Amino acid sequence: MSEKELPLVRTFMGLPKPLLAGYIAIALFMTGDGFELAFLSQYITTLGFSKAESSFVFTIYGLAAALSAWSSGVIAELITVQKAMRIGALLWVIFHVCFLYFGLGEAHYGLIVLFYGLRGLAYPLFLYSFVVGIVQNVNPRQVSPALGWFWTVYSIGIGVVGSFIPSLTIPVIGEYGTLWLALIFAVSGVLTAIIGLRHLRTSEKSSLSASEKFGELLFAVKLFKNPHVTYAALIRVINTLSLFGFAVIMPMMFVDELGWTVDRWLMVWTVFFATTIFSNVFWGIMNEIMGWINVIRYMGCLGMAGSTMLFYLIPHAFPGSFLMACVPAVLLGWFVGAFVAVTPILTTLEPQHQGAAISVYNLAAGASNFVAPALAVLILPHFGVFGVVVTYTALYLIAFVLTFLLKVEQPGFRGAFYVLRHKKDVDLSRVTAA
């Protein structure tokens, strides 16, 4: 049965009920993976390392994540989603323990870089393999809202719970103890996936020979010959620059420059991710009304450009106000979800190689994790946090220009006027993915 022949699955507001265990698993696992996201950069500087050295740790981590993310889509398609997720989870646990015990525990910079970088190879294999599971197990008309829910539970894990719990535990057991606590959530997510995802449909490509599987993996690189695939990938790289970049530079700004406590900053970061819970689902639906490109162009690119600058300007204008700091956090969280349509854009551009298309998406997402701190390493010593923020803002404006070059036909899309005029006759859960 081809992907296009898949029947509609039972959903709740676009959430595929047969895959519920997978969504819960992602939320739990990313909670553990996200514990350190908004405080580790500042914590490393307290061990005696510079801001640039701290940012470099995240750069290596992002590079490893990009390489792993590139291959994860095809690997999951070739060896099955379940096996790929299990391998990723096992590697994550091993390297997380090594990172804490040998790296941070000994304040050994080389081992911090080594084991944190190796851990970066693991989480994309667990995380993005489930994206393949979604594409392989739901009707194409249900992919967009299903992916909206994927990014929602991702945000709940890595950002909301993953930031809120450390804000409570750091004053009690410190940063180091909090990082050990992350293991409980990650392992819980792994067990949930193992138990709950045994029924997943697998790709016919899992039966290919070793040489054929290797060729399929390399095919993901060949997709860049399609210029529209390249444009979509570049837009996805830019999409989360502020997310990954601010996790590195903003703890330094709020704690070191503005004098905030770590747990107070973490509450602002929690507000940002809490907003993405709603924005991912909202934009997944609005894609069907406004169109994929329009949402990305006007809401994503321009919205992120403005909110990125405000994340720096407002806290400096009101340095002691928690509520004012939450304003740009809400805006950033609202507009970052407007890029959710990049995944179905790529799978629509290459419908016969969806695993490879998802690998391109994952590579771009991982590259964002690398590029964001890499820019910080280059710019921080010369222009400070403000220079990094301006750079991110400029890149969102470049993404805005790229949307005019990107061409893709959205299946089933009739435009906002049609949907609004015939809203009683339109079932958004049955409209082709945005």
Side-chain angles (χ1 to χ4, degrees):
M1 180 184 293
S2 68
E3 282 82 353
K4 292 185 177 181
E5 295 172 335
L6 287 172
L8 294 170
V9 300
R10 293 175 292 110
T11 65
F12 172 75
M13 296 180 64
L15 173 67
K17 292 183 179 180
L19 301 180
L20 178 60
Y23 286 94
I24 296 173
I26 293 298
L28 289 171
F29 183 85
M30 294 312 298
T31 294
D33 184 77
F35 261 30
E36 82 273 2
L37 182 63
F39 71 81
L40 182 59
S41 63
Q42 196 274 335
Y43 177 62
I44 290 176
T45 63
T46 67
L47 298 178
F49 305 108
S50 69
K51 292 181 179 179
E53 287 175 320
S54 177
S55 298
F56 182 72
V57 172
F58 287 85
T59 302
I60 296 300
Y61 177 84
L63 178 61
L67 295 174
S68 177
W70 160 64
S71 60
S72 61
V74 174
I75 289 175
E77 192 174 42
L78 298 181
I79 69 172
T80 76
V81 170
Q82 297 95 323
K83 289 181 181 178
M85 293 180 74
R86 290 170 189 172
I87 293 171
L90 178 63
L91 292 176
W92 189 95
V93 171
I94 292 173
F95 292 131
H96 183 71
V97 171
C98 291
F99 166 63
L100 295 183
Y101 189 81
F102 298 108
L104 293 180
E106 300 296 328
H108 191 294
Y109 184 72
L111 295 180
I112 289 174
V113 173
L114 173 64
F115 289 120
Y116 195 56
L118 289 173
R119 207 195 81 177
L121 292 171
Y123 96 86
L125 194 54
F126 184 89
L127 176 69
Y128 295 124
S129 292
F130 184 62
V131 174
V132 178
I134 293 173
V135 173
Q136 289 179 349
N137 288 269
V138 303
N139 185 279
R141 295 179 177 271
Q142 299 172 306
V143 169
S144 181
L147 288 175
W149 278 104
F150 169 82
W151 289 112
T152 293
V153 297
Y154 170 89
S155 296
I156 290 174
I158 197 173
V160 181
V161 183
S163 296
F164 180 71
I165 292 179
S167 74
L168 301 178
T169 59
I170 286 176
V172 180
I173 61 175
E175 289 91 343
Y176 189 64
T178 297
L179 289 170
W180 278 106
L181 187 64
L183 279 169
I184 297 176
F185 292 89
V187 172
S188 297
V190 174
L191 294 176
T192 302
I194 291 175
I195 296 171
L197 295 179
R198 290 175 293 182
H199 65 284
L200 286 185
R201 174 182 178 270
T202 59
S203 171
E204 296 175 355
K205 294 180 180 179
S206 60
S207 61
L208 295 177
S209 66
S211 60
E212 289 173 326
K213 289 181 178 180
F214 184 71
E216 186 68 17
L217 179 61
L218 293 181
F219 189 83
V221 178
K222 297 180 181 179
L223 295 190
F224 285 101
K225 292 182 179 179
N226 182 339
H228 301 292
V229 168
T230 302
Y231 300 145
L234 289 173
I235 291 170
R236 179 58 186 88
V237 171
I238 296 170
N239 171 197
T240 46
L241 286 181
S242 291
L243 189 160
F244 292 117
F246 282 3
V248 175
I249 65 174
M250 286 303 169
M252 302 174 187
M253 186 187 84
F254 276 88
V255 177
D256 298 337
E257 295 182 17
L258 301 181
W260 287 37
T261 60
V262 173
D263 54 302
R264 194 170 183 229
W265 147 249
L266 284 173
M267 291 303 295
V268 174
W269 199 238
T270 300
V271 169
F272 158 68
F273 268 109
T275 306
T276 65
I277 295 174
F278 306 99
S279 66
N280 282 314
V281 176
F282 175 80
W283 293 120
I285 295 173
M286 289 302 295
N287 279 323
E288 305 300 344
I289 298 176
M290 296 177 60
W292 295 347
I293 300 299
N294 288 333
V295 170
I296 292 174
R297 177 183 299 153
Y298 299 110
M299 302 294 105
C301 299
L302 296 184
M304 286 299 289
S307 54
T308 294
M309 278 305 306
L310 290 176
F311 213 111
Y312 179 89
L313 297 175
I314 291 181
H316 278 84
F318 305 91
S321 175
F322 173 80
L323 290 178
M324 291 304 296
C326 287
V327 172
V330 170
L331 292 174
L332 197 76
W334 189 253
F335 291 117
V336 74
F339 292 83
V340 70
V342 176
T343 304
I345 284 175
L346 285 169
T347 55
T348 299
L349 288 170
E350 294 290 342
Q352 302 305 316
H353 298 274
Q354 291 191 338
I358 291 173
S359 282
V360 170
Y361 175 88
N362 296 343
L363 172 61
S368 184
N369 203 346
F370 161 70
V371 171
L375 289 173
V377 170
L378 295 174
I379 298 170
L380 270 174
H382 306 288
F383 302 101
V385 173
F386 180 72
V388 179
V389 172
V390 170
T391 302
Y392 292 163
T393 301
L395 286 169
Y396 283 115
L397 295 178
I398 291 175
F400 173 78
V401 175
L402 289 176
T403 62
F404 290 95
L405 303 177
L406 174 61
K407 305 296 181 183
V408 62
E409 183 178 349
Q410 180 176 338
F413 179 64
R414 296 174 180 266
F417 178 76
Y418 178 89
V419 172
L420 293 175
R421 185 175 179 179
H422 300 84
K423 58 184 177 180
K424 292 183 179 181
D425 303 320
V426 176
D427 180 359
L428 289 179
S429 68
R430 292 177 175 268
V431 178
T432 302

